[in-house]
Amino acid sequence: MIIDAHSHVHDPVDRHLADLDTAGVDRTVLFGTRPHPERAVDLASLRREMKVLDHALAGSGNSIDGYRTAWRELDEALTAHPDRFIGFGSVPLDLPEQDVAAVIEREVVGRGLRGIGELTPPPGQAARIEPVLRAAHDHGALPVVVHGFAPTTAEDLRTLSRLAARYPAVPLVVSQLGGSNWMEAVELVRDTPSMYLELSTANIIFSVRLAIQEIPERTLFGSDAPYGDPVLARTTIERVTPPGEVRDRVLGGNLGRLLGIL
Amino acid sequence: MIIDAHSHVHDPVDRHLADLDTAGVDRTVLFGTRPHPERAVDLASLRREMKVLDHALAGSGNSIDGYRTAWRELDEALTAHPDRFIGFGSVPLDLPEQDVAAVIEREVVGRGLRGIGELTPPPGQAARIEPVLRAAHDHGALPVVVHGFAPTTAEDLRTLSRLAARYPAVPLVVSQLGGSNWMEAVELVRDTPSMYLELSTANIIFSVRLAIQEIPERTLFGSDAPYGDPVLARTTIERVTPPGEVRDRVLGGNLGRLLGIL
């Protein structure tokens, strides 16, 4: 089974499904999203959507209200295509700890979602995810996905590895190969048994090759669509792995086992 | 004709040719290189090669001696495969102006190379390429290729566009879509008729789509191999352009006309 470990709700959803079909992806982890860059038709409209993204990645605009539209869109996509999408739910990281736990209980567990993410703590403040890890642990070790590309810092990646070691039952997925800090990300994830590395957004082909070589059982094919493209993301994995067990693991086996759907 | 606008000498060269064959690339612009990341077999050896790259991108280690090995490797590749490679020659940017002109005359024009690059001025110092543009102008408007990804800054891109306007006969190619400053790069190149934008290393698929939409006659398919992969780079262009004139232009027509080989 080919499983994309990272994608966001598209507008319209059918465009996403068409790309997944072309890429031969069976199922994909789906995160809600506030920006919708795929709506942009030119540079001006894209700039508007990217501003929403920049705010989200800076950790601002994190009110519950800001999340409601994203949750609704996610719900609609999951209801329409339960066979294709694996829903994950996000949570604002600036809430008091007991509220984080309540939101996860209501919006993630209560909606039958399979994990938590994509979390975007402000740069330098990855420690803010600790209440989420605690709640994830209390709810049967839900997997938690954290944004790894800029503005995430190398120190954030180290913080995540320390937190992962503190909650070893909770799978902690670092997205986008850790961005420009990918060499350190590979080492941290390799040395922390509960961490996983999602391989989207790499701008150097041998970063993907070496990540898989170092961590064949905990690297995950992901596209980060609509930012990335499922066809290119899958082709990337296939360019650096020969057909066989490791390729199958990365393209879906590792995540399928993690989610208990294989 | 499919022409890759950006690649570096591989060790061994045959590995590069195999990738070009798989990607269906007829000819490729070839730059000399000091780092050889493709030699790395693990993280430790890659770290060593990437340190050489970091030094080069910081503008240090720019002695003529440091360039000699790269020039020799380039010569050997061009001599062995004149039908596949289109040689470009680089030049240290910390030489006195008259020496820059002499090096270009001897090492670029004297060796029959087709252009100058990939230049890597230190971040914030893109103005250092002006003597190169002047020499390029004096030698029949040789095309000049400048690194565009980090550590290149947005201000560097603006400097390049001002210099390009001052030497309008000299084609000035910005590499890697300008990196994270790609939106500004697209606007600057669009508004400066002698500038071109090479599309490798994009981590967002719609950056390539919008760049081609804005500048169909001056965007260039490139892989930045061995950092990028020719198959993925070509597939990226094909994912965002339907078959037809624009795709053909980007995959080779624009560069072929620029180099006078079509």
Side-chain angles (χ1 to χ4, degrees):
Chain A
M1 190 189 297
I2 309 293
I3 312 175
D4 183 341
H6 190 141
S7 72
H8 297 273
V9 175
H10 288 44
D11 177 22
V13 171
D14 285 350
R15 194 157 135 190
H16 190 186
L17 292 174
D19 286 344
L20 294 172
D21 287 344
T22 307
V25 173
D26 299 302
R27 304 188 68 180
T28 179
V29 168
L30 191 65
F31 303 121
T33 182
R34 286 163 287 165
H36 278 288
E38 74 282 5
R39 286 178 186 151
V41 295
D42 54 21
L43 268 179
S45 50
L46 183 65
R47 269 187 200 284
R48 284 194 294 274
E49 295 294 338
M50 295 302 269
K51 228 171 246 175
V52 181
L53 175 66
D54 289 344
H55 280 290
L57 293 180
S60 56
N62 270 332
S63 69
I64 281 283
D65 273 354
Y67 276 68
R68 287 201 196 284
T69 307
W71 282 334
R72 185 179 45 72
E73 292 172 354
L74 177 63
D75 262 357
E76 289 171 4
L78 294 174
T79 303
H81 304 282
D83 53 328
R84 298 301 291 279
F85 295 133
I86 302 163
F88 272 48
S90 195
V91 41
L93 295 174
D94 47 7
L95 299 175
E97 174 155 358
Q98 65 273 26
D99 293 0
V100 168
V103 169
I104 287 173
E105 175 138 20
R106 191 178 67 235
E107 304 291 344
V108 178
V109 179
R111 290 169 188 262
L113 301 179
R114 308 296 297 262
I116 300 168
E118 176 188 12
L119 300 179
T120 55
Q125 299 182 47
R128 285 212 204 172
I129 74 154
E130 182 157 14
V132 176
L133 293 177
R134 202 171 296 133
H137 179 268
D138 293 343
H139 287 288
L142 287 166
V144 175
V145 179
V146 184
H147 179 88
F149 199 78
T152 305
T153 67
E155 182 53 35
D156 283 327
L157 297 176
R158 281 172 233 134
T159 301
L160 292 177
S161 74
R162 280 192 296 270
L163 289 174
R166 207 173 293 161
Y167 300 87
V170 177
L172 179 58
V173 181
V174 172
S175 290
Q176 299 114 355
L177 237 167
S180 62
N181 302 304
W182 68 269
M183 283 192 271
E184 186 159 3
V186 168
E187 291 170 330
L188 289 167
V189 170
R190 181 193 61 199
D191 300 339
T192 313
S194 59
M195 291 184 86
Y196 291 74
L197 195 54
E198 180 270 304
L199 301 171
S200 67
T201 322
N203 26 50
I204 306 183
I205 182 74
F206 41 74
S207 64
V208 182
R209 189 193 311 271
L210 281 177
I212 293 172
Q213 182 180 315
E214 294 283 336
I215 330 170
E217 307 197 345
R218 287 183 283 120
T219 37
L220 310 175
F221 152 60
S223 68
D224 202 358
Y227 303 94
D229 175 69
V231 171
L232 292 172
R234 179 173 180 174
T235 308
T236 301
I237 305 298
E238 294 180 342
R239 287 289 291 159
V240 300
T241 56
E245 191 197 336
V246 169
R247 180 191 280 185
D248 294 345
R249 278 184 163 281
V250 176
L251 284 178
N254 289 341
L255 183 57
R257 267 178 281 267
L258 170 62
L259 295 172
I261 58 176
L262 274 190
Chain B
M1 189 189 296
I2 309 294
I3 312 175
D4 183 340
H6 190 141
S7 71
H8 297 272
V9 175
H10 287 43
D11 177 21
V13 171
D14 286 350
R15 193 158 135 191
H16 191 186
L17 292 173
D19 285 344
L20 294 171
D21 288 344
T22 307
V25 173
D26 299 303
R27 303 188 68 181
T28 179
V29 168
L30 191 66
F31 303 122
T33 182
R34 286 165 285 165
H36 278 288
E38 75 281 6
R39 287 178 186 151
V41 295
D42 54 21
L43 267 180
S45 50
L46 183 65
R47 270 189 200 281
R48 284 194 294 274
E49 296 294 339
M50 296 302 271
K51 228 171 245 174
V52 181
L53 175 67
D54 289 343
H55 280 288
L57 294 180
S60 56
N62 270 331
S63 69
I64 281 282
D65 273 355
Y67 276 69
R68 286 199 197 286
T69 307
W71 283 335
R72 184 179 45 72
E73 292 173 353
L74 178 64
D75 263 357
E76 290 171 4
L78 295 173
T79 304
H81 305 281
D83 53 326
R84 298 301 291 279
F85 294 132
I86 302 164
F88 273 47
S90 194
V91 42
L93 295 174
D94 47 7
L95 299 176
E97 175 155 357
Q98 65 273 26
D99 293 1
V100 168
V103 169
I104 288 173
E105 175 139 20
R106 192 178 67 236
E107 302 293 343
V108 178
V109 180
R111 290 170 188 260
L113 301 180
R114 307 297 297 262
I116 301 167
E118 178 188 13
L119 300 178
T120 54
Q125 299 183 46
R128 285 211 204 172
I129 75 154
E130 182 157 15
V132 176
L133 293 177
R134 201 170 298 135
H137 179 268
D138 294 343
H139 286 288
L142 288 166
V144 175
V145 179
V146 184
H147 180 87
F149 198 78
T152 304
T153 68
E155 182 55 35
D156 283 326
L157 297 176
R158 283 173 231 133
T159 301
L160 292 176
S161 74
R162 281 193 295 271
L163 289 173
R166 206 173 295 163
Y167 299 87
V170 178
L172 180 57
V173 181
V174 171
S175 291
Q176 298 113 355
L177 237 169
S180 63
N181 302 303
W182 69 269
M183 282 192 271
E184 185 158 4
V186 168
E187 291 170 329
L188 289 167
V189 170
R190 181 192 62 199
D191 300 340
T192 313
S194 58
M195 290 183 87
Y196 291 74
L197 195 54
E198 180 269 306
L199 302 171
S200 67
T201 323
N203 27 49
I204 307 183
I205 182 73
F206 41 73
S207 64
V208 181
R209 189 193 312 271
L210 281 176
I212 294 173
Q213 183 180 313
E214 294 282 336
I215 331 170
E217 306 197 345
R218 288 183 285 120
T219 36
L220 310 175
F221 151 61
S223 68
D224 202 357
Y227 303 94
D229 175 69
V231 171
L232 292 171
R234 179 172 180 174
T235 308
T236 301
I237 305 298
E238 294 180 343
R239 286 290 290 158
V240 299
T241 55
E245 192 198 334
V246 169
R247 179 192 280 188
D248 293 345
R249 278 184 162 280
V250 175
L251 284 179
N254 289 340
L255 183 56
R257 267 179 281 269
L258 170 62
L259 295 172
I261 59 176
L262 275 190

